[in-house]
Amino acid sequence: MSSSPSLGDGDKNPPSVAENQVPAPGKDHRGRVIDFLRVEEGEVYTAHSRKRPKWYQRLLDAGAEENGIKPVPAEQRTNTEYNNLFTVFFTSLFCLLPLPTGMLATLEYGMSLRDSAIIIVFFAMLTCIPPALMCMAGPQTGLRQLVQARYSFGLYLVTIPLLLNAATIIGFALMSAIVGGQAIAALNPENVSVDIGIVVVCVGAFAASILGYRALHWWERWALLPNLVAIVVAVGCGGKHLHLQSDHLPPPTPFKVLTYGGLIAGYFLTFGGIVSDYSIYHDPEGPKWKICVYTYLGLLTSSVPLLILGAAIGGAIPNVDSWAAAYEISGIGGVILEMLAPSGGFGKFIMVLLALSVIGNIAMSMYSMALNLQLLLPFLAKVPRFFFTIVTMAIMIPLAIRVAEEWETSLQNLLALIGYWAGCFDAVLIEELVVFRRMDYTTYDHAIWNVGRKLPSGIAAILASLISMALVIPGISAVWYTGPIAKTTGDIGFEMAFIVTAIFYFPLRWLEVKWRGHL
């Protein structure tokens, strides 16, 4: 990306006065460490010229992103390649990940392919809107998504959505790792386990994620081509069986429609917790609509066809004996391999490409997870971002191996739960920007991004979210719990989370602004 900022270019700025100061007599090593880890109030990202370890400098010279969660000044937001927002989201989702979610409609909920497709398209078109709107704030504010959240949830209470977002990111990464691992294991189930496949795709994603923002955009741009070819070949080889759907299925009940729609909402709304992480270096002078449209289309046009394909595969599995046997042994990976069987050895090569297609999705998860970990404690902003990428990989691999043992149940629980908190979170951030800040992005002042007394208290945001839970909990329909309202209506949790939070956030935030005298 010729117009992207020089993220690892650290020798162009002169050292600051603080960097040239000689430590006071008697100042011990511990004092110097404390000074190094201290983050000043309102400190923004600058490329320092202080001496670094050789290995770290080589990493930066290779194009690694040095910045983590510090605000990016306007002069460093210069990327005008807005279409890479389409490719970064499209490629990350144009992989095996959407297939199991689509399969739930026909295989678990017993709906027809036609009804499943209608529900997928409707809820996807609706719930892709909030993340697309939120992505516009990245170039305008120069703030990561969860740093922006501090301007609503406050410096301390933002820890609650921060932990929920981290759990969501890890959850999606686990699902991607499992389907990738299943695909690799399906190639040789007698000698290669799903566990080994999970390790392979996680290590590959780590390599793609370690360099950061610019490398991720580059990877997602070019990985699109093999992903697209592999999926088209798989459908071309196995498509002759996709029409073998169960006949004479009854129309879905409102319960099934809303419950499965809630899963689709959980799939898309949660991108509201990360979208600005990938637009933060774009030029704020460019048209905002491009940011919004490219993000919306990237999320929608990649996922919907594969969700519908997953529903078609799920509907055919009970009617194709070889697919049913393969699914029992190796999950979705085994089914895809059966679809590719007519192409012989070439099919196994395509299977490898499909297994590796999840790397882009996992790499993005690792990147955003690292940023979330940096936000947990103030001094962590000074710890190099790549360190947290290593921590994320160390967490992901054993968790993915454990979750793979109860695959379908884990997927349903994840998609259901994450939609609830994401509905609250998206509602708060959108209303804060549109209603209270009147689309004035300059009110997201860099000078207070880490100053608790000048940021909102966060009470209004948390209290509005908690009030919404009074209707969300009775409206939950999950494997482990069905609320009294949901028994009649189906799962209406995410709708209640978004709507009720938005309704109560307005008076509560208004009172907070009046009480404190500022935003």
Side-chain angles (χ1 to χ4, degrees):
M1 298 186 297
S2 58
S3 58
S4 58
S6 181
L7 302 176
D9 196 16
D11 297 323
K12 295 183 180 178
N13 295 333
S16 64
V17 174
E19 290 168 341
N20 284 327
Q21 288 177 347
V22 177
K27 192 170 187 179
D28 59 11
H29 176 71
R30 191 173 109 188
R32 289 195 296 272
V33 171
I34 291 173
D35 284 345
F36 173 76
L37 293 176
R38 181 181 294 119
V39 180
E40 301 297 334
E41 292 186 353
E43 181 178 340
V44 299
Y45 170 66
T46 56
H48 295 297
S49 60
R50 65 166 61 97
K51 187 176 180 180
R52 306 184 184 92
K54 287 184 179 180
W55 62 269
Y56 186 36
Q57 186 60 54
R58 287 172 182 167
L59 196 61
L60 297 179
D61 292 340
E65 178 185 11
E66 184 178 23
N67 185 36
I69 60 172
K70 293 179 185 177
V72 178
E75 60 271 16
Q76 296 188 46
R77 288 176 253 151
T78 58
N79 190 352
T80 57
E81 293 180 340
Y82 301 104
N83 60 4
N84 66 15
L85 288 170
F86 172 81
T87 55
V88 77
F89 292 114
F90 185 97
T91 307
S92 70
L93 292 173
F94 201 72
C95 62
L96 294 178
L97 177 63
L99 298 181
T101 305
M103 289 171 63
L104 292 176
T106 48
L107 201 57
E108 296 293 324
Y109 289 93
M111 294 187 291
S112 70
L113 177 58
R114 183 184 70 88
D115 293 334
S116 301
I118 292 172
I119 295 168
I120 288 168
V121 171
F122 175 77
F123 280 93
M125 291 181 67
L126 180 66
T127 55
C128 280
I129 295 173
L133 293 174
M134 296 167 74
C135 193
M136 293 191 298
Q140 299 299 319
T141 65
L143 300 172
R144 303 289 188 181
Q145 194 66 68
L146 264 294
V147 177
Q148 289 177 36
R150 288 180 171 182
Y151 293 76
S152 302
F153 286 89
L155 180 64
Y156 306 107
L157 291 181
V158 78
T159 304
I160 297 173
L162 175 65
L163 293 174
L164 292 170
N165 191 53
T168 299
I169 293 168
I170 283 289
F172 271 115
L174 295 183
M175 298 306 160
S176 295
I178 291 168
V179 294
Q182 288 176 342
I184 290 175
L187 290 167
N188 189 355
E190 294 181 358
N191 298 313
V192 179
S193 68
V194 174
D195 298 355
I196 293 174
I198 287 171
V199 172
V200 169
V201 295
C202 286
V203 171
F206 172 78
S209 177
I210 191 73
L211 294 180
Y213 179 94
R214 184 164 50 185
L216 274 173
H217 274 286
W218 181 89
W219 173 273
E220 304 291 6
R221 180 181 292 275
W222 296 109
L224 170 61
L225 298 176
N227 291 8
L228 179 61
V229 169
I231 288 173
V232 169
V233 171
V235 174
C237 291
K240 62 183 179 181
H241 294 303
L242 292 177
H243 73 283
L244 299 175
Q245 304 289 314
S246 299
D247 296 327
H248 309 299
L249 290 173
T253 62
F255 180 92
K256 288 184 178 180
V257 171
L258 289 174
T259 300
Y260 186 67
L263 298 186
I264 298 300
Y267 184 91
F268 288 110
L269 285 177
T270 50
F271 280 92
I274 68 170
V275 282
S276 287
D277 295 347
Y278 303 96
S279 63
I280 190 174
Y281 291 103
H282 283 76
D283 187 354
E285 299 301 321
K288 297 185 187 71
W289 67 266
K290 284 189 176 182
I291 302 290
C292 183
V293 170
Y294 279 133
T295 302
Y296 182 84
L297 292 178
L299 294 171
L300 184 74
T301 59
S302 57
S303 297
V304 167
L306 294 182
L307 288 166
I308 295 174
L309 174 61
I313 293 172
I317 284 176
N319 303 309
V320 181
D321 292 339
S322 60
W323 288 17
Y327 184 73
E328 187 68 26
I329 297 171
S330 303
I332 183 62
V335 177
I336 298 295
L337 188 61
E338 282 296 317
M339 292 173 67
L340 289 165
S343 59
F346 179 69
K348 291 188 176 181
F349 170 73
I350 293 297
M351 190 66 181
V352 172
L353 292 181
L354 287 171
L356 299 180
S357 69
V358 300
I359 284 179
N361 185 278
I362 301 171
M364 285 183 64
S365 297
M366 287 184 171
Y367 179 76
S368 289
M369 181 64 181
L371 297 173
N372 276 236
L373 292 175
Q374 279 193 297
L375 282 163
L376 285 175
L377 295 170
F379 71 87
L380 294 179
K382 282 287 186 73
V383 179
R385 177 194 52 80
F386 72 85
F387 171 79
F388 297 101
T389 305
I390 297 172
V391 172
T392 301
M393 183 179 69
I395 294 172
M396 276 182 52
I397 291 175
L399 277 179
I401 291 172
R402 175 64 183 89
V403 171
E405 297 173 6
E406 298 177 3
W407 166 238
E408 289 86 357
T409 300
S410 299
L411 178 61
Q412 291 182 62
N413 284 336
L414 170 71
L415 291 174
L417 285 173
I418 61 181
Y420 308 139
W421 85 265
C424 299
F425 181 82
D426 290 9
V428 166
L429 263 66
I430 291 172
E431 188 170 350
E432 176 72 31
L433 172 62
V434 175
V435 177
F436 292 98
R437 299 182 185 269
R438 300 181 181 181
M439 297 297 291
D440 182 2
Y441 293 97
T442 63
T443 58
Y444 292 86
D445 185 4
H446 286 186
I448 66 170
W449 74 276
N450 60 347
V451 185
R453 64 184 181 278
K454 294 184 179 180
L455 288 167
S457 67
I459 294 174
I462 293 298
L463 190 55
S465 301
L466 289 175
I467 291 172
S468 75
M469 289 298 118
L471 286 175
V472 168
I473 293 174
I476 289 176
S477 175
V479 175
W480 45 272
Y481 170 76
T482 300
I485 297 177
K487 289 178 180 178
T488 303
T489 63
D491 194 313
I492 57 171
F494 93 88
E495 295 95 336
M496 290 297 98
F498 190 92
I499 294 170
V500 177
T501 299
I503 290 172
F504 281 93
Y505 185 63
F506 178 79
L508 292 170
R509 182 74 169 113
W510 182 84
L511 288 173
E512 182 183 41
V513 172
K514 287 292 184 182
W515 168 47
R516 303 191 71 189
H518 62 81
L519 286 172

